[in-house]
Amino acid sequence: MFKKILIANRGEIAVRVIKACRELGIKSAAIYSDADLTSLHARMADEAFNIGASPSSESYLNKTKIIELAKKIDADAIHPGYGFFSENTSFIEEVEKSGITFIGPTSKSVKMMGSKTAARTLMSKNKVPVVPGTLEAISNVEEGIKISENIGFPVLLKASAGGGGKGMRKVTSKDEFKSAFESTKREALKSFANDEVYLEKFIESPKHIEVQVIADKHGNYRHVFERECSIQRRHQKIIEEAPSSFVDSITRDKITAAAIQAAKACSYFNAGTIEFLMDTNKEFYFLEMNTRIQVEHPVTELISGIDLVKEQISIAAGNIISFNQNDIRINGYALECRIYAEDPENSFLPSTGKILLYKEPNGIGVRVDSGFAADSEISIYYDPMIAKLICWDRDRSNAICRMNRALDEFQIAGITTNKKFLNYILNTDEFASGNYDINFIDNLNYTSLLSDKSSNNNDEYEIAASVLAALKKSNRKSSKTKSASESSNTWWEQKYE
Amino acid sequence: MNEFVVRINGSLKQIKIVNENIVEIDNVQMNYAITELSPSKFILKINNKIYETSLWKRSDSEDSILVNNYYTNLNIRTTLQEKAYKLLSASQSNTEKVTIIKSPMPGLVFKILKNAGDNIVKGETVMILEAMKMENEIKSNVDGTIKEIFVSEGKPVEKYISLFSLK
């Protein structure tokens, strides 16, 4: 097993990896940018190293500096987390050359799956169903329009090197094509340093179903069931669940077999995820493979009992997978809500600033994966995700009740979050019935969410807030508030027997 | 001077602190008690319910408040300040009305799509602000003509900086 792992990431996933390292008795080394000095991952790691200025390009994306640091501090492995360098083949190649173990697949596997177009070709060859569209990057607007007209509008423009919802646009007509093509290219270049864009047929009303796979260096392949991530906004997942309420056991057998087929096609080892779109007839199409740990991995952990991050580390060290396929069963149901620093009442604009107060919920079946604490800073430089709240219960409806309860307990002040929006989604009839697709949020009637102030329970909180403000404002002029010890309020001390 | 006007989420509340135990909210009397845990943290009891609350002062009339899980910004004035405010805004509305759109977050002005003098309708995108690797469209919330653009492409802006004005 490794002695020291350098974690080339930040935020909640860095914290998650540090926890796994600690349980395995491995030393963890964190890197942090100037803006992240106060962040939780830097505080928690056994060792922490400043890697550069706040912009990612000067810190978390500084390849040479990270690998040099790993050598200098005698780290024997690098865990990339998700995002940043996790699927960057040139980074992985350099790590491989340096003699340090990359906790992930080989650069070759990543290359096969990293380009979405190459992956589609590979999947077609290996009898994994794919969505109709181009297998090559589109070179110009005219070509794109011609292909779109062939397979029929609407189409989806996607960055070849993309993922995580960035660099994707739906185009409904010829007129929209040019501006969509250009802005997708721009975003792709900025986010992935590669402006190749391809297109595919836009499938109406699909569900997003993905399969967690694990493979080791000895050719063993396992799946850890499916997740459903249909609740997305601008292709960014918001709520994820496992198992999917839409997938029956026959479909599950088919889709997990296809996922393992996909992993084998690129000689994969490490934890990985095969994403599919599933139409209303339960036909599914390969979307992409994520050759890394996924944001939503905790829901799978809660229903299977498998610690995916520890499994990743163990596999990278050359061990065989710790369980057999028949050892695991789906136990209960789990869902995850992503708490974002964004304002649902103001076009979901990101909210930045200092977290003034932060208190996580707890109790049976409640898990919080977070990279923040009180006094942490939400900066403009990185992803606006504050925490992942994950709830488990023996069935879906109970788990949803638990999630509502846990969301109510979660206290975050200083920045605006999407908590209210999450509550709203959880309590819709569609969510309760499981009857929704990836367009659910786009089709939501926002005005009803925003104007519905009278009917939600905020009235008593608004009263309490107003009273507090008034008391403090009157105090500013007159005497101080009494402290707990000198309180002489008779009504307060009134006892009931 | 124990009467206040609070603006919270688009609604208006009249608060009157009657004495050490009683507060009147929109003419409804309630019992209260408050205990300070730290300079920003308070336990507030209203009737038979206890709330964990925190208050951060933003300016003389603006506070950020957390009540249990509920975080909000509000605006508070004494009734006298409210009268002065109303007189002032009434005199302003007689002159030409100018709306200023401010940056909702810090970021980089990525692209400016309109020029001063352009007529725009509510909901139209005027500029694109880049933050957290996402392009955010800054839209006008009123119909009007762009009077002035205060920023230029490629420049970073702080939160609440005036981006452009409309008349």
Side-chain angles (χ1 to χ4, degrees):
Chain A
M1 194 48 96
F2 305 116
K3 290 194 171 62
K4 190 193 283 181
I5 294 176
L6 180 124
I7 299 148
N9 214 301
R10 62 178 300 282
E12 69 87 17
I13 194 63
V15 170
R16 173 72 186 86
V17 177
I18 291 168
K19 287 180 177 173
C21 286
R22 202 146 285 168
E23 289 178 23
L24 290 166
I26 300 169
K27 276 212 154 63
S28 55
I31 55 170
Y32 64 92
S33 68
D34 292 347
D36 272 344
L37 175 65
T38 61
S39 69
L40 196 58
H41 79 281
R43 296 184 210 175
M44 277 182 67
D46 294 319
E47 298 168 13
F49 302 91
N50 184 305
I51 199 76
S54 303
S56 305
S57 56
E58 292 170 42
S59 48
Y60 300 105
L61 288 174
N62 189 332
K63 183 165 57 185
T64 320
K65 226 167 164 181
I66 292 172
I67 297 173
E68 282 309 309
L69 176 70
K71 284 188 203 157
K72 206 176 107 194
I73 63 169
D74 285 326
D76 37 18
I78 293 179
H79 196 300
Y82 52 70
F84 295 125
F85 281 132
S86 60
E87 293 173 293
N88 182 303
T89 46
S90 77
F91 179 82
I92 302 169
E93 273 164 16
E94 282 196 35
V95 176
E96 284 164 353
K97 270 186 232 151
S98 73
I100 298 168
T101 306
F102 180 76
I103 301 179
T106 58
S107 55
K108 211 176 142 216
S109 299
V110 176
K111 203 172 270 169
M112 291 169 92
M113 285 300 187
S115 154
K116 307 300 175 206
T117 46
R120 283 164 55 82
T121 316
L122 182 68
M123 290 304 104
S124 320
K125 269 190 208 146
N126 285 275
K127 312 240 175 320
V128 179
V130 299
V131 181
T134 59
L135 295 174
E136 305 283 314
I138 302 160
S139 51
N140 59 54
V141 175
E142 291 69 38
E143 185 198 341
I145 291 176
K146 213 176 120 194
I147 298 166
S148 303
E149 282 174 336
N150 267 336
I151 61 173
F153 280 105
V155 296
L156 204 58
L157 278 173
K158 298 169 101 175
S160 299
K166 280 171 188 146
M168 249 196 259
R169 254 177 197 80
K170 179 187 174 184
V171 190
T172 48
S173 70
K174 196 178 157 182
D175 310 332
E176 290 173 17
F177 196 91
K178 189 168 181 285
S179 79
F181 183 68
E182 283 163 1
S183 60
T184 309
K185 262 178 132 46
R186 261 205 318 269
E187 253 184 51
L189 188 65
K190 222 173 299 155
S191 298
F192 316 109
N194 176 346
D195 75 344
E196 278 190 8
V197 166
Y198 72 101
L199 65 80
E200 53 185 44
K201 170 107 185 117
F202 183 82
I203 295 179
E204 303 283 348
S205 309
K207 275 178 170 285
H208 176 114
I209 308 286
E210 59 185 35
V211 177
Q212 177 71 55
V213 295
I214 299 186
D216 61 25
K217 294 178 177 175
H218 309 278
N220 299 303
Y221 291 83
R222 312 272 185 267
H223 70 81
V224 198
F225 314 111
E226 82 284 359
R227 291 184 287 260
E228 171 161 358
C229 316
S230 300
I231 306 290
Q232 311 180 347
R233 199 184 71 82
R234 288 165 75 178
H235 302 289
Q236 184 82 47
K237 295 164 188 168
I238 297 177
I239 298 176
E240 300 103 334
E241 19 182 356
S244 164
S245 58
F246 185 64
V247 173
D248 53 53
S249 61
I250 295 165
T251 311
R252 181 166 299 125
D253 288 347
K254 277 196 231 162
I255 198 167
T256 52
I260 285 185
Q261 190 65 24
K264 282 182 176 166
C266 67
S267 314
Y268 196 76
F269 56 78
N270 179 43
T273 297
I274 327 290
E275 298 188 335
F276 297 94
L277 285 180
M278 191 177 278
D279 68 17
T280 46
N281 301 317
K282 295 192 168 72
E283 293 295 327
F284 52 85
Y285 307 92
F286 172 85
L287 208 53
E288 62 183 50
M289 176 167 185
N290 295 316
T291 53
R292 52 168 162 84
I293 192 75
Q294 200 109 342
V295 178
E296 58 272 25
H297 75 275
V299 291
T300 298
E301 295 185 324
L302 292 186
I303 61 153
S304 67
I306 304 293
D307 184 324
L308 292 168
V309 177
K310 270 159 71 171
E311 208 67 36
Q312 271 192 305
I313 295 170
S314 167
I315 286 167
N319 299 318
I320 59 165
I321 303 174
S322 72
F323 61 94
N324 291 314
Q325 194 64 63
N326 292 332
D327 294 345
I328 57 169
R329 299 265 176 282
I330 296 177
N331 176 26
Y333 166 91
L335 77 164
E336 171 180 281
C337 282
R338 296 193 191 183
I339 317 280
Y340 284 111
E342 61 183 19
D343 186 358
E345 293 180 60
N346 188 9
S347 329
F348 290 91
L349 286 172
S351 165
T352 55
K354 196 178 202 172
I355 299 181
L356 296 172
L357 192 145
Y358 181 85
K359 194 170 150 194
E360 290 175 353
N362 52 26
I364 180 169
V366 176
R367 165 174 169 181
V368 182
D369 280 20
S370 167
F372 291 98
D375 299 323
S376 288
E377 196 85 30
I378 304 275
S379 74
I380 58 164
Y381 303 105
Y382 318 111
D383 192 272
M385 192 173 78
I386 304 169
K388 306 182 304 200
L389 174 56
I390 310 107
C391 287
W392 175 93
D393 207 333
R394 56 189 195 282
D395 60 40
R396 191 169 184 271
S397 62
N398 278 302
I400 294 172
C401 292
R402 183 164 283 166
M403 180 59 85
N404 270 312
R405 186 270 290 175
L407 273 172
D408 280 346
E409 273 179 22
F410 214 144
Q411 300 185 354
I412 303 169
I415 39 166
T416 308
T417 72
N418 65 337
K419 268 194 329 171
K420 194 173 146 187
F421 183 59
L422 292 165
N423 268 129
Y424 179 84
I425 295 170
L426 292 175
N427 293 308
T428 56
D429 294 340
E430 292 91 335
F431 191 79
S433 65
N435 182 20
Y436 49 84
D437 57 57
I438 60 168
N439 305 309
F440 174 75
I441 289 179
D442 289 341
N443 298 337
L444 265 187
N445 189 355
Y446 280 110
T447 45
S448 83
L449 163 70
L450 303 181
S451 64
D452 218 19
K453 287 198 174 108
S454 54
S455 66
N456 61 33
N457 303 327
N458 292 333
D459 203 38
E460 61 161 307
Y461 293 138
E462 286 177 5
I463 287 174
S466 305
V467 170
L468 178 68
L471 288 170
K472 290 312 290 173
K473 197 170 168 81
S474 80
N475 270 338
R476 278 170 210 164
K477 290 174 188 143
S478 57
S479 63
K480 282 191 216 156
T481 315
K482 289 177 181 114
S483 71
S485 56
E486 61 188 339
S487 171
S488 64
N489 192 314
T490 49
W491 174 77
W492 179 252
E493 288 159 359
Q494 199 175 331
K495 291 187 178 69
Y496 296 88
E497 304 194 19
Chain B
M1 229 346 146
N2 277 325
E3 289 181 48
F4 304 90
V5 176
V6 175
R7 280 191 175 73
I8 182 164
N9 290 326
S11 74
L12 207 72
K13 293 194 195 307
Q14 312 273 348
I15 312 282
K16 184 177 170 189
I17 301 168
V18 180
N19 58 34
E20 277 202 9
N21 306 319
I22 293 168
V23 63
E24 232 176 67
I25 300 119
D26 293 333
N27 298 320
V28 180
Q29 285 211 344
M30 295 182 184
N31 288 318
Y32 80 91
I34 186 165
T35 296
E36 184 179 313
L37 302 176
S38 79
S40 66
K41 255 180 138 173
F42 311 90
I43 293 292
L44 177 67
K45 185 172 180 183
I46 295 178
N47 290 342
N48 291 318
K49 171 89 180 148
I50 291 176
Y51 301 94
E52 284 184 65
T53 64
S54 296
L55 179 143
W56 298 271
K57 199 180 157 197
R58 296 286 184 201
S59 71
D60 184 53
S61 63
E62 284 168 309
D63 292 324
S64 294
I65 290 184
L66 180 74
V67 178
N68 290 357
N69 67 335
Y70 178 74
Y71 179 66
T72 191
N73 293 309
L74 57 73
N75 193 291
I76 180 162
R77 294 189 180 89
T78 62
T79 38
L80 193 71
Q81 286 173 330
E82 176 74 11
K83 265 180 201 153
Y85 168 78
K86 276 198 172 148
L87 278 171
L88 204 68
S89 44
S91 69
Q92 270 177 352
S93 62
N94 291 335
T95 59
E96 187 189 23
K97 198 164 179 270
V98 175
T99 310
I100 292 180
I101 308 289
K102 295 184 173 183
S103 57
M105 72 220 154
L108 200 71
V109 179
F110 178 67
K111 211 170 180 79
I112 297 175
L113 306 167
K114 302 281 174 185
N115 297 308
D118 286 359
N119 290 319
I120 56 170
V121 293
K122 188 178 168 179
E124 213 174 324
T125 305
V126 177
M127 56 182 70
I128 297 171
L129 203 61
E130 188 190 318
M132 293 164 170
K133 290 193 268 174
M134 299 287 275
E135 292 182 7
N136 299 286
E137 298 183 340
I138 306 298
K139 295 170 178 167
S140 168
N141 56 3
V142 290
D143 296 340
T145 309
I146 297 186
K147 188 163 175 269
E148 197 179 346
I149 292 176
F150 306 109
V151 293
S152 53
E153 285 183 9
K155 288 275 152 63
V157 291
E158 291 298 314
K159 196 174 179 178
Y160 299 136
I161 294 293
S162 300
L163 297 175
F164 57 92
S165 62
L166 294 154
K167 61 185 176 193

